[in-house]
Amino acid sequence: MTATPTAKPVPTVTSGTEPTTSGVSVPAALALGDDALVLSHRLGEWAGHAPVLEEEVALANIALDLLGQARVLLSLVGDEDELAFLREERSFRNLQLVEQPNGDFAHTIARQFFFSVHQRLLYGQLATTDGPFAGLAAKAVKEVAYHQDHAEHWIARLGDGTAESHERMQRACDALWRFTGEMFEPVEGLEVDLMALEARWLERVTAVLERATLTVPSGARTGAWSAGAGRQGLHTESFGRMLAEMQHLHRSHPGASW
């Protein structure tokens, strides 16, 4: 790899918050793209550390699916590499849920479960519209269906497993519950029925948790005591460390090529 000294480029987004000439909403593309990018990186952190080899492959495949979605979405509104590797923390618009550390394997599964149920429902709605995200959503929803099935399999296996696995799975669901309300906050340019989406999300999550002998968490999901504001660029403490690691190579060797 060689590096050519150059001035650090400034990330560019096509046109602020105004829709692009193709009708793509910049805030919506950034929100969806950042969700996929950040969660992909978190899942990639399991490489070499997954509990079994088969799970190593499964998590890597899910991470690659999400990375592919992120590339398409970010390239709609700017240079995908600049947007991924040169933006500052406050410029990212991802949900706080997806930036949460992997922690216990049960935490990774709970995070993936809550998000993939949401993403499958969201993309399912978007795929039926004639909006700018319909094509991407129609393709991605098939991938996300696998992500959801994978997470639900582990929810059932751990929740209805041993006393220890049950306790750790319940603890993970309880810990991440307060981050789930943000998924249903309005995003400019993302025209979906959020009330219907949230009702179907709760219905599915409740059914899966109860089938796994887990208790649906009772804590707040929205309001003063819940987490949120990732869409406004406010992120949790661990996100800065994750971003520094993700952007380190690109920032250290601007203009580098193999």
Side-chain angles (χ1 to χ4, degrees), residues 20 30 63 65 73 98 160 173 181 195 214 236:
T20 64
L30 287 180
D65 288 343
L73 288 158
V98 300
D160 198 20
C173 291
M195 290 185 64
L214 294 164
T236 52

Side-chain angles (χ1 to χ4, degrees), residues 137-157:
K139 180 181 179 183
V141 75
K142 300 171 187 173
E143 300 171 344
V144 178
Y146 164 74
H147 304 172
Q148 181 181 337
D149 289 345
H150 172 268
E152 289 184 0
H153 163 79
W154 275 106
I155 290 284
R157 187 173 175 181

Side-chain angles (χ1 to χ4, degrees), residues 158-173:
L158 297 176
D160 198 20
T162 66
E164 181 180 355
S165 71
H166 175 92
E167 189 274 333
R168 290 166 72 169
M169 195 68 250
Q170 183 67 60
R171 190 166 55 202
C173 291

Side-chain angles (χ1 to χ4, degrees), residues 25 94 99 118 198 204-205 212 228 246 251:
S25 159
N94 57 278
E99 71 193 38
H118 157 72
E198 185 167 16
R204 181 65 185 180
V205 165
M246 188 178 83
R251 286 181 179 272

Side-chain angles (χ1 to χ4, degrees), residues 92-127:
F92 278 79
R93 293 293 182 266
N94 57 278
L95 298 163
Q96 290 185 354
L97 173 68
V98 300
E99 71 193 38
Q100 294 309 300
N102 290 326
D104 190 283
F105 181 68
H107 276 72
T108 292
I109 293 302
R111 183 186 65 200
Q112 192 65 36
F113 171 55
F114 291 150
F115 180 75
S116 61
V117 173
H118 157 72
Q119 196 185 33
R120 186 177 184 180
L121 292 169
L122 174 63
Y123 281 8
Q125 277 202 27
L126 291 175

